[in-house]
Every structure is written in C-alpha cells, then in structure tokens.
Amino acid sequence: MATHVQPRRCPLFAPVFVVLLTAGTGWTDSRSIALEWMRDSPSGKLVVENGRLGALKIVRGQGHVEQDIFSFSSQADCRLEVLIEDAHVQEGSDATLVHVQTDRRPFSFFLRDVNAQAPMVVPAYQVVVTQADDPRTGAEIAASVHGKGGRMWRAQIEQEPEESYENAAAHTRRMYVPTWLGTSRDARIFEVRIGEPYQRDDLIVPKFSGSAVHIPELGNTPVQYFFAIGRGRGSRDSVTRGLADSILPILEGNVDEGDVQYRFTTFVTLERSALRPGDLRGTSYLAADGYAAGHMFTPAQQKQFEAVRTTEVERDEETVLYGQIVAANTSAVPRYAWFKAPAVGRAHSFDRQSGFALLSAERIYCLSRINGRPCPQEEIAVLVPPGGKAVYEFLLPHRPISRTRATALAQQDFQQRRDECRQFWKSKVNAAARIRLPEKRIEEMIQAGLAHLDLLCFGREPRGTLAPMIGVYAPIGSESSPIIQFLDSMGWHAQAERALQYFLDKQHDDGMIQNFGGYMLETGAALWSMGEHFRLTRDEDWVRRVKPNVLKACDFLIRWRDRNKREDLRGKGWGMIEGRVADPPDPYRVYMLNGYAYLGLARAAEMLKEADPADAQRIATEAEALKASIRTSLEEALARSPLIPLGDGSWCPTAPPWAEATGPSMLFVKDDACYTHGTFAARDAMLGPLYLVFQEVVLPGEEAAGFLLDSMAELTLLNNAGYSQPYYCRHDWVQLKLGLVKPFLKTYYNTFASLADRQTYTFNEHYFYASPHKTHEEAWFLMETRWMLWMEEGQTLKLLSGIPRAWLAPGQSIEIDHAASYFGPFSLHVDSQAGGKTIVAKVLCDGPRRPAAVEIRLPLPDHRIPARVTGGRYQESTESVRIEPFPGQAEVRLELHE
C-alpha cells in the first residue's frame, strides 16, 4: 500500500530543485508533464488550480504515490510524471496553475508554460520541469539550458562598461520640467515654462501651494501669464536654461536667434522687504496643506484651515517674480529685438505712461520697463545697434496689487534684488554639509536638490511646523520620508524635526497618521522617518516630547493588526494589516504597507528604549510578531505563485504585491485590471514585495530576496530602471547592500538621466507629464547619492560603496564635510594623486558615537590591485579598506604598481 505523506510547512529560504513537464500549444483537454528533482528525496502534494489532476507516476527513484500525494525515499534523482486533465492552457487569466506543495522548497507554474524546447530549470531548488516525453535527465536539461549562453540581467550588466551619465543620457528620453521659483516657507510659488517643447507660448503660472491662483476679473479661472522672448517658435530648439551658479533657485538661460542673443533671468523675492532669513514670515503649514492636491483633513483640521485661509492668501505684501531679458546684438549691423510682456489675454489694459498691465484702474498685475524706462506697450520691437543691448524687465506680483503699491514696486532695482536673492539661497545651501565630487553634475544636483526640497517646505518662521510638500501634492508619510531624511543627512536636523512635526500635529485621535488621498501606509512610514531622525541625532529630549504621539501611533498599528488575527485569513495574510498604499484602489494586505508598519514599530521601540523601556519592549515584541506574519505570508506566496523565465534560461519563483494574491499582477493569474499610471508594472515594481528587503523584513542576502530582485529586474525594468514612476522602485538600495555596484550605477544614471530636467535638475513625477518639481523623486535621487557616498551597516560606517571608478582617476578628489550619520557627523577627504601612483583617504568621525569600524571602498579605474596598503586591512573582493577598531580618525594610503 502507498503511504500518505502529510506536507509540512516549507521554510521560506531553502535550497534548489528542478521540475520537468510535458506541454503542447493552445487549448487541450489533458497534458502529461514530468518533475525531476536532482539529488533530493521530496515528499508532498500536487494541487491543480483551474484543471484536474489525472494521475501521478514515479518513473525514476524509489517512492510511493497515492492520489495527489507523493513521497520519494531515495536520496537521488527523482522523476514524477503527472497527467493533468481539463487543462486551461489558453492565453489570458484563469489558466491552469500547478502547485507542487513539497515539504521543502515548494513552487508553482503555469501548465501552458511547460515546453521541452524551453524547459523550466530552477537552479536554486535543483529541480527541472519539462514535457513528459522529454527523455533527458534533469542534469542533461540543466546543462543544455546553461550551454545556450544566455545571461541574466545582472550578468549582462557586469559584462558592459560601467555606466556613466554620458552613456545613459545618450540612450534615454530627454525630459523637460517646468521650473518652480519662490522664497522657501512661503506657499506662493511661480511655475515658469520657457522653451517648453510643443507649446505655443512661454508661460508663468502662479500657484498657492499645489493650487492655481484665481482672480475675479477672469471669472475665477486659473491664472496663466503668456509672454514671449524673441520672435517666437522656429525650426529649431533655440532655448537653453539653467540655474544661477548651477544650483540656486534663480532661472537663467538664453534664446539663440542668430545675430541677437536673448539672455534671461527670473527669480522670486518679496514685494518690499529684503529677502533675508530673519525677515521671512512664511505660510501657515495648514493653509499650504489645504491648498495642496490630495490633502486630507479631519473635521477639526478643516475648521482650523478655514480660520486661517483668507489671511494666509490675501497678504499685505506679495511675493514678486522678477524677469529680465537682455537682447545682445552680436552682428556688425543694427538688428531688431522683440519682447512681449506677461499678459492674461483680453481682460486687461496697458498703461503706456507707467508700463503697468491692469485688470482695472486699481488692480495692476504686471510692471514692464525697457532700458530703464516704463515700457510703452505690451508688445514691442527695439532696434539694437551693433554690439549693443536692449534690456527688458518685468515685475509680476503673485496676485494683483494696488496702483500705490505698484508705483512703489516700480522703484525696485533688478540687480540689487537679484544679488540679494542669490545671497539668500547661497547662505542656505552653505549651511548644509559640504560635498565636492569629481562629477560636477552630481555635485551640483546635490546642492540644487537641497534648495528644491527647502523651497517646498512650507510653514511659519522661525520655528513653526513645516509641511514637506511633494510638488503639487500634500505631504505623505511615505513620499515625504526621503525629503526629511535627506535634510537630516545634510545636517539640517532642526528643519527635519519641524517637518516631522507636521505628521504629529495632524495625527488623528486614534493614533492614525493619514494626510493624502486615502493612503493607509503613512503611520508606519512616518514612524520610520522619526526613527531615522533619532538615529542621526540621538536627541532624547525630542523623543520625550513626541513620546505620547509615538505611543498612540504604535498602539493604532497594533490594534489594526489584532483585528486581522482571524482564522479565515490563514494563508491570506493572517496578522497583517489591510489598506491601499498609493493611487491604485487596492485595499489588501499589501506587503509594502505591512513592511512600513513593521519598520515603524521597530524604529519606535528603538527610540523609546531609554525614555520608556517597558513600552519599548512591548512594541519591539509586537514588531517581531508582525514581521513573522509577513514572512510566513511571503513564504506561502512564493510557493503558490508561478515561476518565470530569466535571461539565462533558468526559472525563478515570484511573489504578488499583496498577501491575498497569486503571482505578480502583470501576469494576470486572475482577470483583474493591471495597467495604471502608464505601465503594467506599477503594482509589482513600484509597490511590490521587494520593499520587504528595504523594510528589513527580509535580509538582502536571503534566498527570497534574490528571487524578488531577479523577478522584478526581468519583468519590470528597462535599463535596470523602473517604468512610469521609477523612484518608487527599491532595487537601488538592495543592489548596494549586495555589493552590486555596476547594476546600482546602471539604475542610478538611467533613472535620473531620463526623469530629471538635464538643464535645471528639477524632477518630473512620471515619464509622462503629470506633476512637475516632484520633490519625492528628487529626494530619492538624493538618498541614492547619499547611500553611494555613505551608508551605515551595523556598527560600521561604509564609505563610497557605490561610486564610479572614474571618480578615482588620477588627479580626482572627493570631499564630504560634516555630513550626518548614525555615528555622528563625519568628514572624508580622498585624493587620487595626479601621477596615478597613490590614493590617500582621510576620515574623521570622533564624536562619542563613533563607529566600531569604517570601511572605505576605493575602486581603481583600471581594476588594479594596490601593491601596498597602509592604515587598514585591504579586502580585494570589495576593493575596500577596513579600519577596525576605528579610533575616531584615520588615514588610508594605497600605493600602486608602476
């Protein structure tokens, strides 16, 4: 008699096997397949979904079968033939899915995918799947697939030259992004769109936070000001744009019309007051929030907003956009130059004597002057002598002002206000950590990015709560996290704390943190950012102040999880919380949601260890229990989700984005809609299970992490970068943690080269036009750069883990001064001496929290191995020097061969 074998729960991370099956094409009533395990003795159960199991038969190895149960007793190659009837092998959803529920290393596959020409070889499991009439052994099939010479994504990248910006830019789309200008803290923003492709006019669009500005004279329609520089749109792109000093929120550029060159400058300052940090009032964070897209208020918050909205919008001093266009005649003969003042259309008039554009006698919306005098008309042509210039200027208040105020504004000097604005922004940037890199574009993007983040942190000065906005959108616990964490990393701890206070001020009475569009993941994500702030500051006084809010948030998550400890959820996410994490309305037990909940609870327990040891231990216990539930669910999901083919011919397990599903959404196991936000890959890449590695539920080196990374890379990436909204993809961090530097650089360069404006360094949200000046995307780029330069791992400070080799070419240097780390502020100076014979690295981190070890990666451009290393232990496999124990400061010297 056959012995019935009861399948046991399979461990999440186990060895390898091979599966062999028989397949045809199209629809068929029955199929015979073969599974062959190599050097194993599996036992388990075979379950057929959307079909019927006909029979099992052992054809190689010793064992027993009974109905759907099989058991091998010999530790050798074991082959099981399977007959499946009533099979659904057509294209589309509800196809036959075979679940091999072994006691170790379970897996599943689509029956229709089984083909002897491309058999399923799963190296990690030592199993092969092919058609039943395939006479080859599993080892022969595996060797055949390997012999075809295909390469997986990472092997392909490793074979290529190391990625660079120049190469990525030559092969990716070129993004135009409108420029946002303002004064920081103040929600009155100007969007400037000069030279935008496929647009008829240049535009200036005033915004209040994320909303358009409306004025009654235009029927309360959104205001847009049309203007022109030069003769207009021509047969070639003639506009170049950039930032002042390449980093400051002052837009500069040129319009090339041959003999006449138009140099333009625009910036924002205050109507009367000097632009100095001490003179900024800012905008109430609640008013800015209320005018942002997607914001959410409780009834009490809505009442508070209504109380301040009018006074925050209708101010006695406006912000003003200054514009200057200098037309230079470079020819030897006179040439005309053309200018058109910003205009709203027909609902206005123009005062020739003053150069005012009017909505009414007492409502002036723009001031214009030509060569220092009032401009006599809205559109004008000026004859410019050879070598001469014509200077056109306009001053555009955020909202129309009275004639008296306009007359006073007309006395302002453009150059003085520009110098003042430039100094204002330079002082801000200079107050942060100083980073100097061989690649100037990256160096500039760090500084410009910091200013871009600061521009959209709205709130009252000098110490009020700040709303860390995300372009037009209200703050989100998840999307604001890289913004806050980069501010912290650059030493702006006070500003980061004020931004974190936004989430505490708006916390619901039950402890929930939710501010945007019905998203349910903010509580855990906000707690995580608070935990990162604590790691970077070790500010116990701050922890004691926020402790009541932190405990409320943790208890909210714990109660939420308790409601999901239902028996009907076994195998469907028992003990996991449910809710949408982004725009797609997926109210499920999403792994990203639960990973953030775990990470938030774990960081909260760490924060409270000194301030409240009892609650810290209680929360840590709850965090570990949630982590265990997530890991169990992921184990089950990997077992039941279909294998997919990889670039080298092998096959890999997959997982869905939430616990209730089977397989990646884009494989359509069920007939559910998948395409959203311009891609099929949104749920599986941007919101997918790889987040669990980033969220510390799964370790980077675990087998499951490899499955998630490989399946994501092969299914959802192009040039190793995500589709649509690529900075939601967390394979960047995972690659760095695994030491996959070349794949990381492929991701790094291809993503920002295609999503950021290459002239102004501002980021778009998507590859299609949706929302400009998207600080969430820019902040993840900045965090990627931070990880490339410094990353903490346990008690080790890891430096330069992801830098390109070109950065250490002879004569290059890297400087990081007073950046923030878990171990306190640190500085690093690296010089690759001009002769190419010596590299010297000096690191300083001598505070009371200094690391136990420092590891500096020093990759040589030609892959050379140093002849002599002093100051630490050289690790050839990682091209790193490890200094352990680290005394607080050290010097490392690499001497190279002649």
Side-chain angles (χ1 to χ4, degrees), residues 507 510-512 523 527 547-563 601 604 608 615 618-619 622:
Q507 186 176 26
D510 65 357
M512 185 184 193
T523 309
L527 285 172
K547 172 186 160 183
N549 299 87
V550 172
L551 289 174
K552 278 175 55 176
C554 292
D555 288 338
F556 168 79
L557 292 174
I558 293 167
R559 292 194 304 271
W560 190 0
R561 178 171 183 267
D562 286 342
R563 294 196 298 272
L601 288 171
L608 296 170
D615 273 319
R618 174 179 67 88
I619 293 167
E622 292 286 351

Side-chain angles (χ1 to χ4, degrees), residues 58 110 224 405 415 497 549 554 558 578 694 815 866 897:
I58 293 176
F110 283 123
Q224 295 187 41
R405 289 168 64 182
Q415 191 62 42
E497 181 181 323
N549 299 87
C554 292
I558 293 167
E578 81 289 354
F694 177 70
E815 297 180 18
H897 291 284

